[in-house]
Amino acid sequence: MASSPQYKRTDSDISVKVPVLLLKTKSTPNDAYEEILSSSRFSHGAAESKLNPLFVPVLLHHFNNEGHLRVQSLLQAKQISSHREAMYGGMIFTSQRAVEAFLKVVQNGKGSDIDWSHIQNVPIYSVGPATTRALNAIPLDPPLQTFGEHTGNGEALAAYILKHYGQWYSDRDTRPPLLFLVGEQCRDIIPRVLKDKNLDIRARIHVEEVVVYGTGIMESFPHDFGTLIRETSQAPERWVVVFSPTGCDSMLQGLGLLNASTCKINLERRDGKTFIATIGPTTRAHLINHFGFEPDVCADSPSPEGILQGMLKFSSKLSK
């Protein structure tokens, strides 16, 4: 297949596009990865390359109606509030999909008799900058009070919540429960840490998880990924950014590195110009433990900036 003109190197080697295949669904209305990567450049000595982010959806998400109705009823009854009689004193979000599900509830409540002031007076905990940006974009006036942007994983967020939430409700003998909006596949790190029996009983925080979305594998992913791999085959350098363990086998097969029948990796098939970056240590560990494959970059923080800095650092070593 002929390569697209946007990937051809010019005589001066300036403004060459470096494809960055993002194995995720593009966020709406804006995607921070697209904005930050497309405005950044790679330097290769005297040459300069622009980054060209390309999205390849891996996961298929669907909203959970039962969970939506549960959250909606709690909001209507003002049960997420700083008032002592409320069932929950705050909320937790660890994915943009959970935020999108909550946004749908908010949008459905617009024009209704819901008084949103009670939700704007409680702490909303968010893991990392991307989820925080999504929460801050929810059109409420005044906006939600979000905390935890600096944390990069569930364990760090849980440790932060223990301290911050305790101070928020320091006037009470026990902490009110937190409402945690999750997907069907959710790790139990946060509830486990917050309810640890080794904690003083007054410091423990009960967490109720409400499933607001489900996740499946996009059937078209292997085909879509394979198509982009072929279309970008003439690029002098390209990156694949992996956001979750799901789809890693198809990704490795698409790169020609994994034998589907034996599940064995053949590193000799690496082309020397296609590099793999993971959003964090969980996905990196999955690639290592299940396939014996060490990614080239593991972001120090699960964010566009973290991915970009990891790529730039790695690429600068190659150019030396």
Side-chain angles (χ1 to χ4, degrees):
M1 179 179 292
S3 63
S4 173
Q6 65 177 327
Y7 301 119
K8 291 182 178 178
R9 187 183 293 270
T10 64
D11 292 337
S12 61
D13 209 21
I14 301 297
S15 298
V16 175
K17 295 244 183 165
V18 174
V20 182
L21 279 60
L22 300 163
L23 305 191
K24 68 183 287 289
T25 300
K26 183 178 179 180
S27 299
T28 57
N30 302 306
D31 192 287
Y33 286 88
E34 180 179 49
E35 293 175 352
I36 290 176
L37 294 178
S38 61
S39 62
S40 304
R41 298 170 182 266
F42 269 12
S43 294
H44 299 89
E48 194 171 66
S49 305
K50 293 181 179 178
L51 298 180
N52 183 27
L54 302 166
F55 293 87
V56 194
V58 179
L59 302 177
L60 180 65
H61 302 284
H62 60 273
F63 293 126
N64 182 295
N65 288 331
E66 183 178 347
H68 275 218
L69 291 174
R70 169 66 172 161
V71 176
Q72 182 176 317
S73 65
L74 288 171
L75 289 171
Q76 289 176 332
K78 298 184 178 181
Q79 288 301 312
I80 308 172
S81 169
S82 58
H83 295 301
R84 289 182 178 272
E85 62 271 18
M87 293 178 62
Y88 305 99
M91 301 178 72
I92 304 174
F93 293 85
T94 57
S95 77
Q96 294 186 60
R97 302 305 162 206
V99 177
E100 290 172 4
F102 181 66
L103 173 60
K104 184 178 180 182
V105 174
V106 171
Q107 291 173 332
N108 290 343
K110 288 292 186 180
S112 68
D113 58 354
I114 297 179
D115 176 8
W116 295 98
S117 60
H118 58 96
I119 195 67
Q120 294 159 326
N121 292 321
V122 300
I124 307 296
Y125 294 107
S126 170
V127 62
T131 304
T132 303
R133 278 192 294 265
L135 281 166
N136 290 339
I138 293 179
L140 290 175
D141 186 22
L144 298 172
Q145 296 193 64
T146 56
F147 304 92
E149 179 179 1
H150 63 285
T151 63
N153 55 60
E155 189 171 4
L157 179 61
Y160 173 76
I161 290 173
L162 280 173
K163 182 177 180 180
H164 184 273
Y165 200 62
Q167 294 174 343
W168 191 281
Y169 291 106
S170 61
D171 60 330
R172 304 188 188 185
D173 293 334
T174 58
R175 312 295 176 244
L178 282 163
L179 189 67
F180 189 7
L181 272 57
V182 300
E184 290 175 344
Q185 300 177 2
C186 179
R187 301 173 69 192
D188 67 347
I189 291 177
I190 292 178
R192 179 162 43 85
V193 171
L194 296 184
K195 295 186 292 184
D196 192 328
K197 293 181 179 180
N198 292 323
L199 292 171
D200 185 287
I201 191 170
R202 294 172 298 177
R204 296 176 200 168
I205 305 170
H206 178 74
V207 177
E208 180 182 338
E209 298 173 85
V210 177
V211 176
V212 292
Y213 71 94
T215 302
I217 299 177
M218 191 81 71
E219 291 184 5
S220 63
F221 171 68
H223 173 268
D224 295 341
F225 181 70
T227 297
L228 276 179
I229 287 297
R230 291 190 296 272
E231 290 180 350
T232 60
S233 62
Q234 299 303 310
E237 177 181 348
R238 64 183 173 185
W239 284 82
V240 178
V241 181
V242 190
F243 290 82
S244 79
T246 304
C248 282
D249 53 347
S250 296
M251 180 269 292
L252 293 171
Q253 287 180 44
L255 293 174
L257 304 179
L258 180 67
N259 186 312
S261 59
T262 64
C263 290
K264 298 293 185 180
I265 285 286
N266 186 347
L267 296 178
E268 293 181 357
R269 293 183 178 180
R270 295 204 69 176
D271 59 15
K273 67 175 185 179
T274 303
F275 306 107
I276 312 299
T278 65
I279 192 65
T282 300
T283 302
R284 174 181 177 272
H286 178 80
L287 284 169
I288 294 173
N289 296 334
H290 286 76
F291 305 105
F293 181 83
E294 173 73 63
D296 301 292
V297 166
C298 178
D300 290 334
S301 65
S303 65
E305 296 83 1
I307 285 291
L308 177 61
Q309 290 305 312
M311 291 167 56
L312 289 171
K313 184 177 180 180
F314 181 87
S315 191
S316 66
K317 290 181 180 179
L318 292 180
S319 63
K320 293 181 179 179

